[in-house]
Amino acid sequence: MPVTVVASATSSTQLLPADSNRSSVIISNDDPNRLFVLLDDATVSTSSYSFSLGQYENARLIGAEAQGRIMGIWAADGAGNAYVTTRS
């Protein structure tokens, strides 16, 4: 299962592009700042998001919810990353 590492940023950042062949995604946040995730092609913000993850929290997306574009933004720029694991 491939893992994509995305450095924390305070601007809308693509965590994964859309992929209709993806069956699941696991997103983990190791940054001390909260990661806000949007399951949409729109711009994510700290007030417009699908769910958020604190430090060392993770989320699993299955089926159709894992296939669209996934965007992220952190509450503040820290030294951490999002680790995004995919399965086709």
Side-chain angles (χ1 to χ4, degrees), residues 16-51:
L16 280 179
D19 182 349
S20 62
N21 294 317
R22 234 181 355 242
S23 63
S24 67
V25 173
I26 300 170
I27 304 170
S28 299
N29 177 33
D30 78 349
D31 193 280
N33 300 293
R34 185 159 288 279
L35 167 61
F36 297 87
V37 178
L38 180 66
L39 306 178
D40 195 351
D41 280 333
T43 300
V44 64
S45 71
T46 57
S47 61
S48 177
Y49 59 93
S50 301
F51 61 88

Side-chain angles (χ1 to χ4, degrees), residues 7-19:
S8 67
T10 56
S11 59
S12 185
T13 302
Q14 179 175 277
L15 301 180
L16 280 179
D19 182 349

Side-chain angles (χ1 to χ4, degrees), residues 45-63:
S45 71
T46 57
S47 61
S48 177
Y49 59 93
S50 301
F51 61 88
S52 66
L53 300 170
Q55 187 175 29
Y56 305 123
E57 291 182 337
N58 60 67
R60 183 172 183 173
L61 310 173
I62 300 171

